[in-house]
Amino acid sequence: QQRNTNTTTTTSSQTKPVDADCRTKMAEWCAQVIDFVKFSRETVGIGMSYLDRFMASGVRRSRTAMTDRKEYQLAAMTALYMAIKLNEPLEMETKLLSDLSRGCYTTAEIATMEIDILEALDWRVAGPTPLEFVQHFLAVGLHDTEAANHPAVEATLLDFSRFQTELAIGMPALLSATPSRIALAAILNSMEGIDDVALNPFERITFLRSIEATSGLDPNARGLRPVRSLLMDGFVKNAGISFQQVAAQLGLGAQREEATRAAQASRAASSSSDGSGPEVSPVCVSVNVSAISKKQRCV
């Protein structure tokens, strides 16, 4: 009788509707997996994009996942598996995913979910990411400015913008924001960490006009303000320093490099890449990845 009660409780928790907290937890878990196997954080963003688009597709399987956390978890794990397969030099075995779920999902179930996701996405799995837009905007915008002669300026903008795009992955409030808008918002925030000596007002205007001419995005658009605010709050919370404080500390030489390294160290400390592996997902993924042998990790 006690076993039956426990089974009923577990089943009930798994069939609760998916909420924003579920997505945040799965994004964090995916980041832990990626950090442990030393893949790119961008792969997490790609996988979560597959998941979000699948959930928004309206197909029967996605509607089921909206009301069943166990099904949602399977979709999230499969989306990460797909992103790794398409964007990393090594492929993760479906057997490993099955092991990570402690047998909740078989390799056949993962393979079936992969097909369902691909069909829901109409096989469109090569969309641009926020970081790719950041890199494009910087290449285009800084080309005609004096800042192009100062690699530290571009490096600082790229590093701080990359950090914000990583934070955006775990923000359900930004699900409706396009990758290009997230990229522009991140760059605008990062510019506040560059003083007027390194990037003078005229160069800032030239830089933003180049981005607008290329992308059609208005840097002064009202719709960017909430995106900037969310990213800025996330940056301060995770890095422990504001962009204004960065601007006050950074110079063109050693001070800039020192502050940039400090921000990078804060970012690394905020991640879960300490080798302990992923922790617990919304439903049942609780096995420690570090317990999986290196040979079993990838093929």
Side-chain angles (χ1 to χ4, degrees):
Q1 184 178 2
Q2 183 64 39
R3 276 200 306 271
N4 290 339
T5 301
N6 290 340
T7 302
T8 302
T9 301
T10 303
T11 303
S12 175
S13 67
Q14 291 175 353
T15 55
K16 286 182 179 179
V18 172
D19 56 21
D21 188 50
C22 289
R23 184 188 182 280
T24 299
K25 287 181 178 179
M26 286 311 305
E28 291 172 351
W29 184 84
C30 289
Q32 291 172 15
V33 172
I34 288 297
D35 286 346
F36 184 78
V37 296
K38 302 188 185 311
F39 287 158
S40 170
R41 274 288 185 95
E42 188 74 350
T43 302
V44 179
I46 295 171
M48 293 305 294
S49 173
Y50 293 163
L51 175 63
D52 295 335
R53 290 165 54 207
F54 169 68
M55 296 300 291
S57 66
V59 300
R60 179 180 298 179
R61 193 87 192 260
S62 68
R63 294 198 302 270
T64 301
M66 287 294 292
T67 59
D68 187 336
R69 295 187 179 191
K70 187 172 184 289
E71 186 81 350
Y72 179 77
Q73 179 180 269
L74 173 59
M77 295 176 69
T78 304
L80 178 65
Y81 162 74
M82 292 167 55
I84 291 173
K85 187 196 303 191
L86 294 172
N87 296 277
E88 296 291 352
L90 298 174
E91 180 182 343
M92 180 179 286
E93 290 181 322
T94 54
K95 177 63 167 58
L96 173 58
L97 284 183
S98 180
D99 290 342
L100 288 175
S101 72
R102 285 191 170 180
C104 278
Y105 314 110
T106 65
T107 57
E109 288 174 320
I110 295 169
T112 299
M113 176 61 82
E114 180 182 14
I115 294 298
D116 289 340
I117 292 176
L118 285 170
E119 290 180 348
L121 301 185
D122 198 22
W123 295 77
R124 298 177 185 271
V125 290
T129 65
L131 181 58
E132 288 173 336
F133 274 109
V134 166
Q135 294 168 330
H136 177 69
F137 290 160
L138 291 179
V140 170
L142 293 178
H143 180 72
D144 296 325
T145 68
E146 288 295 323
N149 298 321
H150 300 292
V153 174
E154 182 175 359
T156 301
L157 287 173
L158 177 59
D159 186 64
F160 290 155
S161 296
R162 178 190 287 113
F163 187 18
Q164 292 173 83
T165 61
E166 291 176 1
L167 294 174
I169 295 170
M171 295 182 177
L174 293 179
L175 284 177
S176 61
T178 62
S180 57
R181 287 176 60 201
I182 292 174
L184 181 55
I187 289 175
L188 290 171
N189 285 347
S190 299
M191 288 175 67
E192 295 191 14
I194 306 293
D195 58 35
D196 289 341
V197 175
L199 191 64
N200 65 55
F202 176 76
E203 290 178 328
R204 292 171 189 263
I205 294 174
T206 302
F207 173 49
L208 294 177
R209 283 179 176 173
S210 296
I211 293 177
E212 184 174 8
T214 302
S215 66
L217 294 174
D218 181 4
N220 297 311
R222 182 174 298 180
L224 280 177
R225 295 175 187 174
V227 180
R228 290 190 62 185
S229 179
L230 285 168
L231 294 178
M232 190 172 294
D233 290 345
F235 182 95
V236 174
K237 179 180 178 181
N238 285 272
I241 187 172
S242 70
F243 289 104
Q244 290 78 10
Q245 290 172 312
V246 172
Q249 294 179 21
L250 290 180
L252 284 177
Q255 285 184 323
R256 173 182 300 283
E257 296 175 0
E258 181 179 351
T260 301
R261 286 197 299 269
Q264 290 172 333
S266 296
R267 179 179 65 184
S270 68
S271 71
S272 300
S273 56
D274 58 358
S276 61
E279 295 300 331
V280 181
S281 75
V283 180
C284 64
V285 174
S286 57
V287 65
N288 193 323
V289 169
S290 61
I292 309 289
S293 68
K294 185 175 182 181
K295 179 178 179 181
Q296 189 179 13
R297 212 173 294 156
C298 300
V299 294

